[in-house]
């Protein structure tokens, strides 16, 4: 008999205090006692029945649950195999069906799931808002299901009721049944309505149309509501029973199709026929009602989706087991309807109730009202926050979309998890309500400095203010706003801290550039950088000097302004000490500075170069200072000063400026066509006239620059022209009516150009259809006269216009037009003509003109031109001819270039990059024959000039490739050297250092034999490259081998306990020793037969010296080893007295299962009872050198 004791903290204290000595003594068992199997391995406690508290939970939850009207619906429908449009099941989920579904989901916003039934039919589940689901269903049926058509005949007067007001009824019917319904026009005598769609959809639509017709029929109408489960019994197989009933009674019977959620059967016709049909249907119903039942199961509406299961798994399992049971979920209601045979319905009801019972025990829900502005923060970046909560608490959290304008957040799942998730969401919201966001304006150039290298500096700030989130804008946004978010007080503190950092950065970012003669830079740096380092430390600045090979003489100093100026003075002082440097200032008006500097500094640079490299410094633009500083050798400074003043005097004389006001619309007239008017004034006076650019604020200001006399004369001329423009006159001229269209077409483009060119003159043509030829012009007198002259020129052009036809095969038209018609636009603009291309004709061409090759037209090129080959050019005769020549020059030609077949792959390049680059560069098409044809020709097609350039480029590329081939042939010279394998590691060197140096010095490739290749000769080294280089490399290897052959190898026996100390940490000590004595020392591998044998190899003298040194080290280290071992022997604890001396028994229990019924315990050493998973791996012995490196 055994007992189990539970040791609590209190009972443990009593044991320690001796209060229960007697009980303890009684429970002490002999060490030889063997426990039973149940004592050693007690069984786990039985799990309670899952339904013990189901009733309590259900009642507790029942008071909380209230019905919620769902805005999301789910529809499931089936497409039989024979109606599937895509029947390739090998690519299910990847083929066209998946692409079609993805397209429909994107267009409608509904969610679609496909599954394949056992009968190869397609089950489709569509979820989303009602409108989206209906649209998606219609598209799915149209695109995934084969289409059929049928007609239904109803009286013509009933058609308008099917269409409905503004066609709404028809649209609704088409959407509801996923069909296309074609109703004949009122003037069409036919009464047949055509329905196109799936078989199921046609049945639905037919039923609905007949219902509408029946409602409008004046004959008797009876509506009979029967449960949907009985409809198939009334209809019969293939609707035969209902058809026979209609024929017998003469009544029309409309039964809703299975997919339509209606249970109303409509009977229309004569009263007697309707009554007879009604009685017959009722008889069928009464007969069948006894064998079919309808049951409703109550379940909270929010549990419905969990009852259905993920992708309908739960409900699918029930319907597969009981296929004759129809299960229907009603959205927003707490009931589930089951229809079918009594026995199967009862089984399905029991299974569903079991699922509901289990879910009510395991699931709970709660709702939290959270302001919509916090929703995106709750979700987090890429859903990070909400996903963490879902995974941590095993719950489902539904946050409404922004479009729903709702703050209701719903949490569903494990009761405990729901409460914890609710608490965390509320805490997050409370934190966010206390949060504040603040924007700091920080120049983007400081962002990287504040962040620091690898984010070190900003990490310090974040560590200091852990509750504040600091967001820097993306560099590509070019934004200066840094956003802080967190608790109000912390954000304020962080903002002040960052503002202080920014202020320091701004203060320390002042920059100065000091020109110092290049020859003195090394003196400023000092020996080992001593001078520049001292200046940097004492002035606390950053000083950057130009690189040695740079032509710049500027030294840039960055830091605080006062420190930068101090550093500059010290650098200039060093320069003054080293050379006789003088600095002087010259007063030159600030308005002349830009003209003295010249374009890109060309004028001032020429003076500096002419005067021995002096430095001339102009004040910054906008400073208003007139002082120009010149620094350099004394004589050169005076020379530069003289030249600068002379140049300034010339600029002063030629820099007189006057300004003139003129309306912007006059500017184009003052400039004239092609700049003719303004050029005449410039040539006459010699002054330069500057008109404002579109970006200038003063659009009326015209500036005249030059010598004073020339400026005054030009100003007078322009003022006279402007005065004439201010005098508005009205004039008229006669223009033939047939030319009016040219001026007013294209929305008056020609008239707008005339107004812009001639000072805003207004030209009015008579209205279209009027017979008048009088055209009115209103504006400045000169402008009106010039506009009349221009109109006359245009009329002359129009009257002298001819049409020229150019025959160019249609296949070249696209190439002639160019990208976006740019080539044609250029020709029309250049030659002032109009070009019209014919309509495209895609009909087959039986006699196509052969292509032009090598610029020549073959004798077969004469072909009968088609209408689509003729391009029409309209304009002056001489200009039409020029445009024709330009068009013909754009016709592409094809030329053959002789290129050896072997070079084709090099011309094409990797993945076609070479040929693509040439085609882009020369704007041609290059055709390379297929490799199997092995032709030595490449065809180039394009414009004549481009083809010629491409041909030259191709030939040059061929020359390059041929040169490369010759070079490869020269580099392929090979020589083999026989070297004993034992010398190979020495020739290779540590990490390949020796052989890499030989390869680099002689530009050759050296290959050693593979260790594992038995067929390869193990002592041959192959050298390849240029012949001369190969010979030099061979001599170098042979010389190295000769040196190695002189070496000797000796063994020395050293105690293994000293090896690790001689080798040192990571082999550092032994490497130093080998370098010192110029020898190679090899220690034995772990597990070696001779663990104390150490091999030393090198020249005889160095080997002896190295061995002596190793023996001395061994003697020294052995003293330490002996001392350590002696001390360890004293420190070792005495072993326990083992009186038995026999092997350990292991752990033994009584009454074990394997001993029951005379069974023996399994033999754990048996390979049959306990097979091994693969071969065992022996433990690796650690080497004194550390882990092996392969």
């Amino acid at each position: 008999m055994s007992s189990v004791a539970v040791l609590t903290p209190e009972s443990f204290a009593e044991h320690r205090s001796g209060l229960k000595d007697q009980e303890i003594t009684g429970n002490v068992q002999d060490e030889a006692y063997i426990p039973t199997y149940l004592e050693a391995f007690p069984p786990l406690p039985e799990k309670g029945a899952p339904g013990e508290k189901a009733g309590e939970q259900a009642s507790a939850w029942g008071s909380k649950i209230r019905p919620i009207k769902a805005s999301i619906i789910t529809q499931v429908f089936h497409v039989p195999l024979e109606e599937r449009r895509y029947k390739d099941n090998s690519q299910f989920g990847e083929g066209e069906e998946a692409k079609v579904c993805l397209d429909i989901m994107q267009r409608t916003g509904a969610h679609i799931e496909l599954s394949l039934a056992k009968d190869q039919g397609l089950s489709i589940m569509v979820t989303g808002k009602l409108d989206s689901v209906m649209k998606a269903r219609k598209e799915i049926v149209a695109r995934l299901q084969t289409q059929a058509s049928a007609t239904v005949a109803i009286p013509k007067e009933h058609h308008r009721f099917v269409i409905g007001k503004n066609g709404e009824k028809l649209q609704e019917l088409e959407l509801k049944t996923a069909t296309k319904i074609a109703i004949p026009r009122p003037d069409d005598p036919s009464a047949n309505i055509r329905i196109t769609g799936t078989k199921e959809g046609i049945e639905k639509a037919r039923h609905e149309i007949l219902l509408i017709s029946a409602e409008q029929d004046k004959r008797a109408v009876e509506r009979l509501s029967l449960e949907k489960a009985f409809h198939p019994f009334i209809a019969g197989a293939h609707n035969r029973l209902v058809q026979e009933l209609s024929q017998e009674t003469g009544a029309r019977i409309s039964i809703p199709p299975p997919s339509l959620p209606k249970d109303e059967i409509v009977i229309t016709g004569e009263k007697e026929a309707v009554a007879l049909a009604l009685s017959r249907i009722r008889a069928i119903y009464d007969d069948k009602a006894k064998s079919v039942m309808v049951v409703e199961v109550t379940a909270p509406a929010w549990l419905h989706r969990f009852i259905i299961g993920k992708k309908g798994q739960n409900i699918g399992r029930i319907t597969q087991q009981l296929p004759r049971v129809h299960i229907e979920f009603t959205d927003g209601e707490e009931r589930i309807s089951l229809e079918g045979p009594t026995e199967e319905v009862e089984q399905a009801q029991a299974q569903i109730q079991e699922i509901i019972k289990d879910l009510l025990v395991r699931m709970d829900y709660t709702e939290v009202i959270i302001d919509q502005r916090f929703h995106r923060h709750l979700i987090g970046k890429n859903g990070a926050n909400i996903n963490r909560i879902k995974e941590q608490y095993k719950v489902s959290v539904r946050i409404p979309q922004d479009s729903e304008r709702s703050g209701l957040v719903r949490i569903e799942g494990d009761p405990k998890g729901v409460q914890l998730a609710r608490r965390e969401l509320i805490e997050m919201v409370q934190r966010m309500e206390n949060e504040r966001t603040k924007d700091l304006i920080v120049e983007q150039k400081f962002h990287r400095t504040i962040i620091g290298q690898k984010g070190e500096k900003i990490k310090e700030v974040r560590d200091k203010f852990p509750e504040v989130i600091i967001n820097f804008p993306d560099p590509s946004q070019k934004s200066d706003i840094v956003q802080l978010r967190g608790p109000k007080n912390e954000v304020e503190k962080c903002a002040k801290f960052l503002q202080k950092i920014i202020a320091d950065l701004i203060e320390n970012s002042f920059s100065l550039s000091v020109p110092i003669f290049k020859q003195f830079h090394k003196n400023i740096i000092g020996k080992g950088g001593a001078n520049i380092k001292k200046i940097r430390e004492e002035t606390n600045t950053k000083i950057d000097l130009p690189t040695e090979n740079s032509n710049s003489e500027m030294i840039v100093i960055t830091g605080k302004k006062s420190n930068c100026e101090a550093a500059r003075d010290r650098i200039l002082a060093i320069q003054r000490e080293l050379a006789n440097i003088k600095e002087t200032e010259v007063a030159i008006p600030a308005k002349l500075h830009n003209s003295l500097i010249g374009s890109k500094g060309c004028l001032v640079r020429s003076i500096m170069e002419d005067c021995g490299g002096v430095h001339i410094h102009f004040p910054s633009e906008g400073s208003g200072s007139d002082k120009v500083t010149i620094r350099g050798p004394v004589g050169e400074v005076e020379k530069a000063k003289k030249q600068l003043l002379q140049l300034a005097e010339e600029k002063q004389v030629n820099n007189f400026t006057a300004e003139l006001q003129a309306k912007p619309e006059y500017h184009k007239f003052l400039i004239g066509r092609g700049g003719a008017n303004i050029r005449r004034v410039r040539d006459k006076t010699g002054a330069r006239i500057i008109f404002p650019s579109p970006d200038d604020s003063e659009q009326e200001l015209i500036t005249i620059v030059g010598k004073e006399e020339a400026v005054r004369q030009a100003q007078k001329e322009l003022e006279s022209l402007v005065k004439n423009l201010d005098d508005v006159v009205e004039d008229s001229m006669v223009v033939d009516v047939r030319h009016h269209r040219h001026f007013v077409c294209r929305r008056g483009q020609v008239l707008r150009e005339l107004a812009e060119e001639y000072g805003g003159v207004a030209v009015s043509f008579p209205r279209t259809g009027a017979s008048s030829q009088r055209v009115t012009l209103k504006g400045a007198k000169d402008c009106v006269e010039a506009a009349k002259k221009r109109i006359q020129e245009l009329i002359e052009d129009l009257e002298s216009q001819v049409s020229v036809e150019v025959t160019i095969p249609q296949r070249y038209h696209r190439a002639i037009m160019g990208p976006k018609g740019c080539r044609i636009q250029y020709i029309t603009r250049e030659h002032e003509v109009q070009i019209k291309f014919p309509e495209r004709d895609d009909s087959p061409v039986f006699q196509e003109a052969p292509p032009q090759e090598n610029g020549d037209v073959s004798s077969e090129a004469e072909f009968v031109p088609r209408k689509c080959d003729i391009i029409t050019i309209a304009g002056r005769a001489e200009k039409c001819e020029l445009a024709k020549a330009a068009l013909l020059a754009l016709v592409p030609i094809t030329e053959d270039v002789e290129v050896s077949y072997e070079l084709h792959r090099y011309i094409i390049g990797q993945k076609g990059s070479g040929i693509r680059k040439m085609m882009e560069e020369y704007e041609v098409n290059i055709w390379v024959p297929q490799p199997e044809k092995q032709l030595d020709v490449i065809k180039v097609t394009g414009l004549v000039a481009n083809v010629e350039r491409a041909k030259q480029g191709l030939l040059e590329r061929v020359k390059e490739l041929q040169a490369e081939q010759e070079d490869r042939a020269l580099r392929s010279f090979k020589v083999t050297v026989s070297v004993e394998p034992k010398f190979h590691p020495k020739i290779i060197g540590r990490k390949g250092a020796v052989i890499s140096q030989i390869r680099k010095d002689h530009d050759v490739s050296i290959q050693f034999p593979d260790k594992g290749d038995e067929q390869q000769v193990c002592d041959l080294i192959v050298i390849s490259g240029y012949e001369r280089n190969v010979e030099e490399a061979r001599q170098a290897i042979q010389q190295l081998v000769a040196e190695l052959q002189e070496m000797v190898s000796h063994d020395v026996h050293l105690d293994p306990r000293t090896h690790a100390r001689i080798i040192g940490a990571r082999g550092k000590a032994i490497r130093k020793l080998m370098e010192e004595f110029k020898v190679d020392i090899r220690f034995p591998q772990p597990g070696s037969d001779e663990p104390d044998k150490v091999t030393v190899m090198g020249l005889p003298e160095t080997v002896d010296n190295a061995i002596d040194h190793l023996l001395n080290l061994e003697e020294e280290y052995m003293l330490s080893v002996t001392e350590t071992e002696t001390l360890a022997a004293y420190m070792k604890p005495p072993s326990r007295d083992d009186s038995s001396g026999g092997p350990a028994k292991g752990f033994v229990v009584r009454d074990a299962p394997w001993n029951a019924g005379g069974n023996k315990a399994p033999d754990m050493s048996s390979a049959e009872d306990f097979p091994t998973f693969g071969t065992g791996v022996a433990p690796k012995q650690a080497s004194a050198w550390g882990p092996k490196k392969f």
Side-chain angles (χ1 to χ4, degrees), residues 87 94 171 195 229 237 262 291 369 387 524 601 636 666 712 733 804 965 992 1027 1046 1125 1158:
K87 298 180 182 178
E94 299 176 1
Q171 289 174 8
I195 309 167
K262 283 188 177 181
S291 61
I369 302 294
N387 288 337
I524 289 165
E636 301 299 336
Y666 294 163
R712 297 292 182 200
M733 63 184 295
V804 175
Q965 278 187 331
E1027 186 176 359
E1046 293 178 8
E1125 287 181 350

Side-chain angles (χ1 to χ4, degrees), residues 370 375-393 395-399 409-411 421 424-425 428:
I370 296 175
H375 287 186
R376 63 189 184 90
H377 300 295
L378 293 179
I379 294 167
K381 190 176 182 181
N382 297 325
N385 293 347
I386 205 70
N387 288 337
R388 178 186 59 78
I389 291 170
K390 286 178 180 178
E391 289 175 11
Q392 185 175 345
Y393 300 117
V395 294
S396 169
V397 183
R398 185 191 177 280
I399 297 176
V409 176
R410 187 182 177 92
I411 310 166
E424 183 162 343
L425 287 176
M428 287 172 71

Side-chain angles (χ1 to χ4, degrees), residues 136-179:
R137 186 171 180 274
K138 184 179 177 182
E139 286 210 34
I140 288 167
V141 167
R143 296 172 67 178
L144 292 185
Q145 212 164 343
T146 54
Q147 303 291 293
S149 64
T151 57
V152 58
I154 62 171
K156 190 81 175 173
E157 59 270 16
H158 294 175
H159 286 192
R160 61 192 185 93
F161 297 105
V162 176
I163 295 168
K165 188 178 179 182
N166 298 325
E168 290 176 0
K169 183 70 177 176
L170 183 62
Q171 289 174 8
E172 182 188 347
L173 193 57
E174 286 183 335
L175 195 64
K176 189 175 177 182
T177 62
T179 57

